[in-house]
Amino acid sequence: MIESARSEARKRLQAKNIAPLIEKINALPNLKAHLELEDCVRLRFEEIDLEQEREILECALALKPWRKGPFEIGSLRIESEWDSSIKYNLIAPYLDLEGKEIADIGCNNGYYMFKFLSHSPKSIIGFDPYALFKCQFDFLNHFAQTPILYEMLGVEHLEFYPQKFDVIFCMGVLYHRTDPISTLKTLAKSLKSGGEVILDTLILQSNEEIALCPKISYAKMSNAYFIPSPLALEGWCLRAGFESVELLESKQTQSNEQRKTQWIESMSLEDFLSPNDPNKTIEGYQAPIRGYFKLKRK
């Protein structure tokens, strides 16, 4: 199954909108870069000329939209839609990654994986089926030259993957799945004994064991299916085979974390909320609140 999925991924990389991007990345100058892992993931060059800067800018612009970041490549700053440092700094105090084998599900362009390098893990593998995100990662890693492995696979392939993991990150994925309990079972099966999942998902503010099931869309997302209360999510996780569920943090998404920038040129949080009440979505639901959980298996 994995090889078949990889074959399909290679076909997606040959699509007429993707193949030219790969050519641009392959033509980038070979520059020695120093990777700095602060709130902004930075690539500093020892030497770079104006023509090389132009090539890097042209490639970065062709790779829009940039959802995760920010990044700096030489003098170029990519202000992504999400300031991902806010989420990372929220979960960082709870991470124990040194010497661990890590998977990042829905890894996008790899922002969090680059940040994980500062914890000295044994290995990092990212899973995301979208070709554009793979191209963005390849653009960055062309200069960073990290040992991170990027698989164009989805969470549904994880239990068939030949490797089990100490820590799995699943951030911003669960509410896009039509069967969240099956997804959680897949995550549990893909862990080593004693392993853990760091889960970030939309939650419903309620003390009851209930979940919101939006009729058509949630915050203009037609692929948001189930938004559970913390108690409902705990029940899902226990049913899926996890031994314990710990709520680490919860936070309402604000405009300093998700916003329009020149690097996306499309709608963002301000368009998804009610113009009359920022605590409601455009559909009238509770505005996005994210819960950050640690799930442990035996």
Side-chain angles (χ1 to χ4, degrees), residues 6-23 131-132 135 152:
R6 284 174 174 154
S7 177
E8 289 301 313
R10 287 191 288 270
K11 291 178 184 177
R12 295 196 295 279
L13 289 172
Q14 296 167 5
K16 63 181 181 180
N17 64 320
I18 297 298
L21 301 178
I22 295 174
E23 290 181 11
L132 178 62
C135 289
M152 282 180 60

Side-chain angles (χ1 to χ4, degrees), residues 20-210:
L21 301 178
I22 295 174
E23 290 181 11
K24 282 183 177 292
I25 294 165
N26 290 338
L28 286 168
N30 292 316
L31 296 169
K32 185 176 181 181
H34 175 65
L35 183 62
E36 298 177 359
L37 300 171
E38 300 177 5
D39 284 353
C40 179
V41 172
R42 293 188 178 92
L43 290 160
R44 297 294 190 210
F45 301 115
E46 292 182 359
E47 293 184 19
I48 186 169
D49 61 36
L50 289 175
E51 176 60 21
Q52 291 168 333
E53 287 187 337
R54 184 197 62 78
E55 291 175 13
I56 291 170
L57 172 61
E58 183 181 287
C59 190
L61 288 171
L63 290 166
K64 292 195 299 185
W66 287 82
R67 302 295 181 189
K68 310 297 182 186
F71 297 98
E72 283 185 10
I73 304 99
S75 62
L76 172 65
R77 185 174 176 93
I78 298 175
E79 284 289 359
S80 51
E81 177 188 12
W82 286 84
D83 181 347
S84 304
S85 70
I86 294 174
K87 180 182 295 188
Y88 181 81
N89 290 335
L90 203 64
I91 64 172
Y94 303 99
L95 303 184
D96 177 14
L97 307 182
E98 186 174 351
K100 303 289 181 66
E101 293 181 296
I102 298 168
D104 185 1
I105 311 303
C107 63
N108 199 271
N109 58 30
Y111 173 88
Y112 297 111
M113 296 194 293
F114 289 117
K115 293 284 284 180
F116 297 155
L117 290 169
S118 65
H119 295 263
S120 302
K122 181 178 180 181
S123 65
I124 305 173
I125 303 178
F127 294 80
D128 202 307
Y130 291 99
L132 178 62
F133 300 154
K134 172 66 161 59
C135 289
Q136 290 177 352
F137 171 80
D138 287 345
F139 165 73
L140 296 163
N141 210 41
H142 174 85
F143 302 111
Q145 292 293 300
T146 72
I148 296 168
L149 176 63
Y150 195 117
E151 295 273 20
M152 282 180 60
L153 305 174
V155 66
E156 66 273 16
H157 302 115
L158 196 59
E159 66 181 289
F160 305 102
Y161 201 72
Q163 181 176 340
K164 302 299 180 187
F165 299 94
D166 298 297
V167 183
I168 297 176
F169 289 85
C170 183
M171 300 191 290
V173 173
L174 192 64
Y175 49 87
H176 292 312
R177 308 298 296 177
T178 56
D179 188 345
I181 296 179
S182 289
T183 297
L184 289 165
K185 285 181 179 178
T186 294
L187 295 174
K189 290 175 184 176
S190 304
L191 286 171
K192 298 178 185 179
S193 178
E196 61 188 35
V197 170
I198 302 297
L199 178 73
D200 147 41
T201 192
L202 292 171
I203 57 171
L204 183 67
Q205 274 193 319
S206 173
N207 293 323
E208 299 182 55
E209 296 177 15
I210 59 174

